[in-house]
């Protein structure tokens, strides 16, 4: 999304206060590279494993939703480590627990709903098509951030919005689409529309998170961003679990495991590693927010959607026809203009060190 004139530089942190300020340049970039790998590998693996679950006989949309946040306890490992270094002043300057709880609950419920939409989309679409449609979150983010977060709409961002919209339109009218086995044209359209709605809802979540950091939490530290990830994931997992039992889908899980064509062990490991992959992605997202900036994390997270189709073609043997190849190239072009806009904003912000830092805006995703 477009950054305002006071947007923080994409690779700038307050060196006087940042805990990693003492790292030499090599160690700093190694840490950045490690978090980028976590994000890229985690997101690609999660999407591919989610599609594998459906292809081999899995059919529970609620189970596919639960695993997207169920491995949240893994996030307590970095949280406990970093919270031990928190100063007393940081702990004391917090809003009331009731206010924070309401924010986490509302966002957590929205995350659960968004995850459910993504699960339905992945059921009816191939992994590559799904990822390319998810890239439209940049379009919705740009529009919503203009109205909710007062961020400007530049020519480069307009170009990104138009190109990504055309990319999604190509997939919508693609008659030679690689629909998964048993998926009719009508279900493909449903999958397309649901995934589009999920991308729009995720963009709304990003803007709401940004407003929460700005108006409620009023700061961006590793522990605060990680708390947002953990507690919203707890709420989302609880809501998804209730949905699993309320829908009655839990009754079919034993039979689903028995009929899973890759075997019972593969069924369990697919769900386990899908959950772990999503949290590895979350660690990468939060790590980049902490080490570099929330803007950089958002850029890398969105850019990774362009590489997932390539991975799905190699691993799941998704069909890459001419229309999809053009759509992917258009998506990459949209990403490039988006990143270049951030580069321009970075130059402007670096020349105005007195500018007020923008508030965080974390991404999926994951």
């Amino acid at each position: 999304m477009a950054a305002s004139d006071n947007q923080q530089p994409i690779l700038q942190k307050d060196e006087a206060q940042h805990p990693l300020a003492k790292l030499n340049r090599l160690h700093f970039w190694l840490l950045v590279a490690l978090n980028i790998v976590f994000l890229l590998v985690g997101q690609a693996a999660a999407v591919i494993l989610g599609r594998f679950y459906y292809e081999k006989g899995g059919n529970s949309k609620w189970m596919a939703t639960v695993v997207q946040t169920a491995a949240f306890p893994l996030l307590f490992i970095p949280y406990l480590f970093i919270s031990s270094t928190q100063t007393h002043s940081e702990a004391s300057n917090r809003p009331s627990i009731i206010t924070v709880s309401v924010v986490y609950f509302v966002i957590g419920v929205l995350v659960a709903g968004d995850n459910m939409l993504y699960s339905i989309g992945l059921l009816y679409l191939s992994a590559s098509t799904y990822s390319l449609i998810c890239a439209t979150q940049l379009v919705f983010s740009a529009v919503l951030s203009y109205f909710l977060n007062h961020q400007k709409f530049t020519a480069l961002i307009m170009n990104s919005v138009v190109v990504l919209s055309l990319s999604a339109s190509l997939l919508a009218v693609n008659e030679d689409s690689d629909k998964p086995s048993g998926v009719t044209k009508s279900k493909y359209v449903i999958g397309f529309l649901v995934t589009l709605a999920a991308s729009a809802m995720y963009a709304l979540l990003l803007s709401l998170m940004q407003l929460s950091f700005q108006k409620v939490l009023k700061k961006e530290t590793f522990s605060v961003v990680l708390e947002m990830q953990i507690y919203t994931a707890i709420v989302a997992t609880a809501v998804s679990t209730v949905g699993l039992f309320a829908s009655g889908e839990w009754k079919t899980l034993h039979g689903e495991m028995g009929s899973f064509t890759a075997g019972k062990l593969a069924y369990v490991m697919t769900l386990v590693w899908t959950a772990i992959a999503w949290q590895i992605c979350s660690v990468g997202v939060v790590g980049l927010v902490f080490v570099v900036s929330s803007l950089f994390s958002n850029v890398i997270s969105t850019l990774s959607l362009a590489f997932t189709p390539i991975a799905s073609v190699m691993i799941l043997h998704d069909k890459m026809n001419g229309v999809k190849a053009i759509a992917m190239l258009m998506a990459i072009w949209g990403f490039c203009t988006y990143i270049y806009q951030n580069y321009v904003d970075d130059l402007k912000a670096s020349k105005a060190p007195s500018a007020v830092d923008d508030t965080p805006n974390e991404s999926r995703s994951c």
Side-chain angles (χ1 to χ4, degrees):
M1 65 187 66
S4 56
D5 288 334
N6 63 352
Q7 172 69 53
Q8 70 178 23
I10 195 170
L11 294 176
Q12 177 175 311
K13 282 285 187 181
D14 187 348
E15 294 184 359
Q17 298 179 1
H18 199 271
L20 301 178
K22 296 181 179 179
L23 286 180
N24 62 45
R25 195 166 187 82
L26 175 61
H27 290 166
F28 170 80
W29 283 109
L30 285 175
L31 194 56
V32 171
L34 179 63
N35 282 288
I36 290 176
V37 170
F38 281 163
L39 197 161
L40 296 180
V41 173
Q43 181 161 284
V47 171
I48 289 173
L49 285 171
R51 185 58 236 166
F52 179 82
Y53 164 76
Y54 286 133
E55 285 191 354
K56 298 302 180 182
N59 197 45
S60 174
K61 295 181 289 292
W62 279 111
M63 176 55 74
T65 302
V66 169
V67 297
Q68 292 184 49
T69 53
F72 67 84
L74 294 176
L75 297 178
F76 279 108
I77 298 174
Y79 177 72
L80 293 175
F81 172 77
I82 203 69
S83 62
S84 63
T85 64
Q86 187 181 47
T87 64
H88 176 71
S89 60
E90 288 178 326
S92 60
N93 295 329
R94 287 173 174 261
S96 69
I97 190 171
I98 295 178
T99 302
V100 174
S101 298
V102 171
V103 170
Y104 288 161
F105 178 79
V106 172
I107 292 179
V109 171
L110 291 177
V111 167
D114 193 41
N115 288 346
M116 182 58 172
L117 292 176
Y118 278 122
S119 297
I120 296 173
L122 193 56
L123 173 63
Y124 296 141
L125 301 173
S126 66
S128 54
T129 301
Y130 165 88
S131 298
L132 288 172
I133 297 173
C134 285
T136 58
Q137 71 183 51
L138 271 182
V139 176
F140 297 111
S141 291
V143 174
L144 288 171
S145 64
Y146 175 80
F147 290 104
L148 297 180
N149 306 117
H150 308 292
Q151 293 181 336
K152 65 182 180 181
F153 217 64
T154 67
L156 287 172
I157 296 301
M158 178 61 76
N159 176 79
S160 179
V161 167
V162 172
V163 170
L164 286 169
S165 298
L166 291 175
S167 174
S169 300
L170 281 176
L171 295 174
V173 300
N174 183 18
E175 292 296 332
D176 192 26
S177 58
D178 56 333
K179 296 186 292 292
S181 178
V183 174
T184 63
K185 181 63 177 180
S186 61
K187 288 184 177 179
Y188 176 85
V189 172
I190 291 174
F192 177 88
L193 294 176
V194 167
T195 305
L196 204 61
S199 299
M201 189 172 180
Y202 185 67
L204 176 62
L205 276 168
L206 293 181
S207 293
L208 291 178
M209 287 179 181
Q210 183 171 356
L211 287 174
S212 298
F213 281 106
Q214 181 182 16
K215 303 296 184 181
V216 181
L217 302 174
K218 298 181 179 179
K219 59 182 176 180
E220 176 191 0
T221 64
F222 184 74
S223 59
V224 170
V225 175
L226 201 51
E227 282 176 3
M228 173 73 82
Q229 290 274 10
I230 292 172
Y231 294 123
T232 56
I234 291 174
V235 174
T237 303
V239 171
S240 302
T241 303
V242 170
L244 177 65
F245 283 91
S247 66
E249 284 190 4
W250 67 275
K251 298 177 182 178
T252 67
L253 295 181
H254 184 269
E256 186 176 277
M257 180 189 298
S259 61
F260 200 68
T261 57
K264 294 183 179 180
L265 178 61
Y267 176 84
V268 174
M269 296 307 295
T270 298
L271 294 177
V272 169
W273 281 106
T274 301
I276 292 175
W278 278 123
Q279 295 313 309
I280 289 175
C281 177
S282 293
V283 170
V285 168
V286 177
L288 289 176
V289 169
F290 178 60
V291 177
V292 187
S293 73
S294 55
L295 177 59
F296 186 78
S297 179
N298 191 33
V299 169
I300 298 300
S301 180
T302 315
L303 182 62
S304 68
L305 292 171
F307 296 101
T308 301
I310 299 175
S312 64
V313 168
M314 293 188 297
I315 298 174
L316 296 178
H317 306 294
D318 280 1
K319 183 179 179 181
M320 180 60 74
N321 57 32
V323 173
K324 187 183 291 186
I326 293 173
M328 186 175 69
L329 291 175
M330 292 178 69
I332 292 175
W333 174 253
F335 290 138
C336 290
T337 57
Y338 172 78
I339 293 173
Y340 183 71
Q341 177 64 63
N342 291 328
Y343 170 74
V344 172
D345 292 327
D346 180 64
L347 289 180
K348 291 181 180 179
S350 63
K351 293 177 181 178
S354 60
V356 180
D357 285 345
D358 197 7
T359 50
N361 179 17
E362 51 179 320
S363 177
R364 181 184 188 78
S365 289
C366 358

